[in-house]
Amino acid sequence: MNIGIVCYPTYGGSGVVATELGMALAEKGHHIHFISYSQPVRLRSFRENISYHEVNVSDYPLFDYQPYELVLSSKLVDVVKYEKLDLLHVHYAIPHASAAFMAQQILKEEGIDIPFITTLHGTDITLVGKDQSFEPVITFAINKSNAVTAVSNSLRQDTLDHFKVNRAIEVIPNFVCIEGCESPEIDEELKRNLAPKGEKIIAHVSNYRKVKRIDDVVRIFHSVRKEMPAKLLLIGDGPDRHEAEMYCRENGLEKDLMVLGKVKDTEHVLTVADLFLLPSEFESFGLAALEAMAAGVPVISSNTGGIPEVNKHGFSGYLSNVGDVEDMAKNAIKILQDEKLLIQMKLQAFGQAKKFDILNILPQYESLYTKVVNKTY
Ligand code: GMT
């Protein structure tokens, strides 16, 4: 199949999922066209069957805000026509779903029929989506998509609760590559560099926005640090990261804080961690937690949104109510203080991640693509 994938190119989960999906489909022989305003960060190298089409928004002084959605729609028209696409798969509703609908209508005038699938990822529905100024367009674009998927049951339900949806929404969960992918070895040298005295390593990966509750991350770490030698690895970047650094300085924890920023090989770095923290206010899925589990790292998380579908309490980690830093710290200390439990939880976290192996998820997308293209959906 000749498939156009529209996504955000950044470190956010939706862009990661879209890129990994496209790369896996290309490996299976599909022709994949990534369409975005910049090359997706996870698209590490160009391989057979993959091309990238950049959406260029020129900086015209008349506009205070450049009309990205219109430029994207025009680009979609162009790519569908000249690359003879069978299907568009857009990740994140805003503004990708409405841009795809616009392109579809333009192409219809020219006798070209292009179906599009919208995958809802989370903040497009739960945060931004609930902003009334977006609501009519999102509702319309969801209802007009040829198929809609959500990354968890929780997100599917949220969409039904908050929008006037008059169509089916399928759940196709996010995934990681385990079988058939090189499983990253624990980098002992990196571990020694980061924790020279064998300190326990606690990791967090995010875009450091309010919803991630970075304050809770450092407070949990502070409580653990009172009980044992430990290091905190902060991976990724965003507005609240500075606050975390300030907290650590003010509380004498700066020597135990490692700020790694936007590393490209997160899965490699995660292998050195003993525990992963995800105390978010909301997560439709929690891809960061799944990636940690795939690296054999147990997860201390909140129990919000789709996280309980990924992290299993007492098995792959522990879940607590949002903001219950005390409970999260207690659970973290429990795992880290008991070597036997830690080893068992590491194995179980990996076992739980295996359920989301791309081998199980990819056929679900392929089957949906076939049905949508053959109009049997
Ligand atoms: O978490 C973010 O802030 C980024 C956002 C995105 O769209 O890139 O993530 C959302 O999609 C991910 C991939 O499906 C999910 O794993 C995240 O849980 C979801 N984030 C939220 O719901 C806050």
Side-chain angles (χ1 to χ4, degrees), residues 209-349:
R209 285 188 287 115
K210 277 274 160 287
V211 70
K212 304 293 174 182
R213 296 185 69 98
I214 303 307
D215 202 37
D216 290 2
V217 170
V218 281
R219 283 172 197 278
I220 297 165
F221 176 67
H222 196 179
S223 298
V224 172
R225 186 62 197 77
K226 284 179 187 157
E227 299 298 318
M228 69 188 80
K231 299 282 180 181
L232 176 64
L233 285 193
L234 294 184
I235 302 166
D237 198 7
D240 288 358
R241 201 186 77 182
H242 181 67
E243 241 172 72
E245 291 176 57
M246 293 311 288
Y247 178 97
C248 288
R249 277 188 209 166
E250 282 157 17
N251 290 280
L253 298 168
E254 70 277 14
K255 286 204 173 65
D256 295 320
L257 175 69
M258 313 279 166
V259 179
L260 303 193
K262 291 180 175 177
V263 294
K264 287 214 167 184
D265 55 344
T266 321
E267 67 280 15
H268 167 80
V269 179
L270 278 174
T271 60
V272 304
D274 295 294
L275 203 60
F276 187 84
L277 303 181
L278 192 68
S280 304
E281 185 80 32
F282 183 82
E283 289 292 342
S284 66
F285 184 87
L287 183 66
L290 178 61
E291 292 192 328
M293 284 153 53
V297 184
V299 173
I300 297 291
S301 69
S302 54
N303 56 10
T304 179
I307 300 180
E309 296 173 45
V310 181
N311 185 21
K312 293 293 168 196
H313 188 70
F315 186 72
S316 53
Y318 290 100
L319 294 95
S320 311
N321 291 333
V322 172
D324 195 344
V325 170
E326 211 177 298
D327 195 53
M328 293 186 203
K330 189 190 83 198
N331 289 330
I333 293 163
K334 179 166 137 184
I335 299 182
L336 293 174
Q337 269 181 344
D338 181 343
E339 204 56 38
K340 209 168 136 208
L341 178 64
L342 178 60
I343 292 169
Q344 185 191 338
M345 282 246 164
K346 283 184 175 190
L347 289 172
Q348 287 171 183

Side-chain angles (χ1 to χ4, degrees), residues 8 10-17 92 119-124 126-127 151 155 174 206-209 211-212 278 280-289 306-307:
Y8 282 104
T10 48
Y11 281 88
S14 64
V16 168
V17 168
Y92 209 89
T119 289
L120 306 172
H121 278 275
T123 40
D124 43 355
T126 53
L127 289 182
V151 297
L155 182 61
N174 288 331
S206 78
N207 50 22
Y208 297 80
R209 285 188 287 115
V211 70
K212 304 293 174 182
L278 192 68
S280 304
E281 185 80 32
F282 183 82
E283 289 292 342
S284 66
F285 184 87
L287 183 66
I307 300 180

